[in-house]
Amino acid sequence: MKLNSWPFSPLFTSLKHLSRSIHTMASSISETLTLTLPAGSPQDLNLDEHLCSEQQEHQDCQSSSADWPSRCLTGESRIERAWAHWKKLGQPKLIVAPMVDNSELPFRMLCRKYGAQAAYTPMLHSRIFSENEKYRSQEFTTCKEDRPLFVQFCANDPDTLLEAAQRVEPYCDYVDINLGCPQRIARRGNYGAFLMDNLPLVKSLVEKLALNLHVPVSCKIRVFPNLQDTINYARMLEDAGCSLLAVHGRTRDEKDGRKFRADWNAIKAVKNAVNIPVLANGDIRHMDDVQRCLEETGADGVLSAETLLENPALFAGFQTAEWALGGEEGNKDGELDQANLLVEYLKLCEKYPVPWRMIRSHVHKLLGEWFRIQPQVRDDLNSQSKLTFEFLYNMVDQLRELGVRIPLYTKDTPAGRTSNGIAT
């Protein structure tokens, strides 16, 4: 006799209700126990779509394509899902690159005001992030308006990386793996571009996240000296579960961006070789570069780093004098300068506090040319062991009183600045 037939149906119905109640309670308890909010993170973000109970894990093969762990997806399904996610975000083309100590929340928000359509956090150290609450609360902050957002980690251990990534996945649109840092500290720590010497480890890092996170995994890489090695590398990352690839068109040894031009042809080759979205990084100094890079590489977006530090309004069509006055086309005073941008940045820092070392760095980047005209103001800044907002606002006023002003320029055309961040 079947259990759901009379006379067992009342008992079966009661058991079903009891089962549902227990499942609901278990799910609630599981969410409460597993959700760890980083100190200082917003409490009012919508987390429901990102969380699932442990009971869901064995149902992944029956889940819809919107659920990110990809244990049972075919390669074609992963590609479709990667593009669906990218399109859901609006396919941003103008993106703030990850910069250690420099792409923090106030700076990201400043860049977003001036045309940036997405942004990366600074590189976060996965082990320290997992172990140290103070590090988490100081180094990673965000807000509801800070989207789309890539949170970037360096790592060389899959389990440690996953632990760190699970702490941030409710607050971001991609968890990014730094595979491109070429600095000595990355060599000593065995991460970044120095993992190019250990591709099985790289593959395991990507697979670990792709199989366990509920947001997609992205990777930021540098190119190999040999183009075919670069193409093979990109395809391996895609096969491992990478949903978006950012390619810096320089090798690990080409650290000086002014000395070595980015190889856009290599980026184009990667774009043609893989099926996931590809972002181009390298030599994006003004909007003409953006346009040319998108056309020459076929990339789905561009990243800018160093130039944004001097000119956070780059994506709104503003240029520094270095590029505006050296160009062939006419340019005009854009009625905006770096001191204006610094004041805006400082106000954002008052709203979204960050360590003072980050603020000090941005002051020097934004006003570097101004300090060359009035070096005593820079010396006064450097003599301050402890900064205050009052001191920095007064410093800007002092430069104004000394007659210093270096404008940012826009094209002297009927269209003026860019439309939607991209020249038309």
Side-chain angles (χ1 to χ4, degrees), residues 32-105:
T32 302
L33 291 176
T34 58
L35 175 58
T36 303
L37 295 176
S41 297
Q43 305 288 324
D44 55 350
L45 297 180
N46 181 12
L47 304 183
D48 291 345
E49 63 185 272
H50 299 289
L51 297 175
C52 69
S53 64
E54 291 180 354
Q55 289 87 343
Q56 184 68 33
E57 186 171 324
H58 67 88
Q59 299 174 0
D60 283 338
C61 291
Q62 287 77 38
S63 65
S64 71
S65 61
D67 296 324
W68 273 98
S70 53
R71 296 174 183 83
C72 305
L73 291 179
T74 65
E76 183 177 348
S77 298
R78 288 200 303 268
I79 300 302
E80 291 174 355
R81 190 174 60 175
W83 278 104
H85 184 74
W86 185 241
K87 291 175 181 178
K88 181 181 177 182
L89 298 178
Q91 302 183 81
K93 293 186 181 300
L94 309 174
I95 302 168
V96 180
M99 294 172 279
V100 174
D101 280 354
N102 283 143
S103 58
E104 80 291 353
L105 177 59

Side-chain angles (χ1 to χ4, degrees), residues 208-283:
K208 189 71 172 183
L209 296 192
L211 293 174
N212 292 281
L213 290 184
H214 293 82
V215 293
V217 181
S218 61
C219 297
K220 188 170 185 297
I221 66 172
R222 286 191 170 232
V223 297
F224 282 92
N226 179 278
L227 180 58
Q228 190 58 50
D229 289 341
T230 301
I231 291 172
N232 293 342
Y233 186 31
R235 286 173 172 164
M236 180 270 286
L237 292 170
E238 180 181 60
D239 291 343
C242 177
S243 294
L244 179 144
L245 194 58
V247 184
H248 190 143
R250 295 184 177 91
T251 69
R252 186 171 69 190
D253 295 327
E254 294 173 338
K255 301 186 183 80
D256 189 342
R258 293 184 179 271
K259 182 177 179 182
F260 299 101
R261 294 285 295 172
D263 186 351
W264 287 358
N265 288 328
I267 300 174
K268 179 180 180 179
V270 170
K271 172 61 183 173
N272 291 336
V274 300
N275 297 301
I276 56 177
V278 172
L279 306 178
N281 184 200
D283 294 339

Side-chain angles (χ1 to χ4, degrees), residues 1 20 33 56 59 85 112 122 261 303 308 325 410:
M1 182 180 294
R20 288 172 184 165
L33 291 176
Q56 184 68 33
Q59 299 174 0
H85 184 74
R112 289 180 192 276
R261 294 285 295 172
L303 277 63
L308 276 177
L325 302 183
T410 57

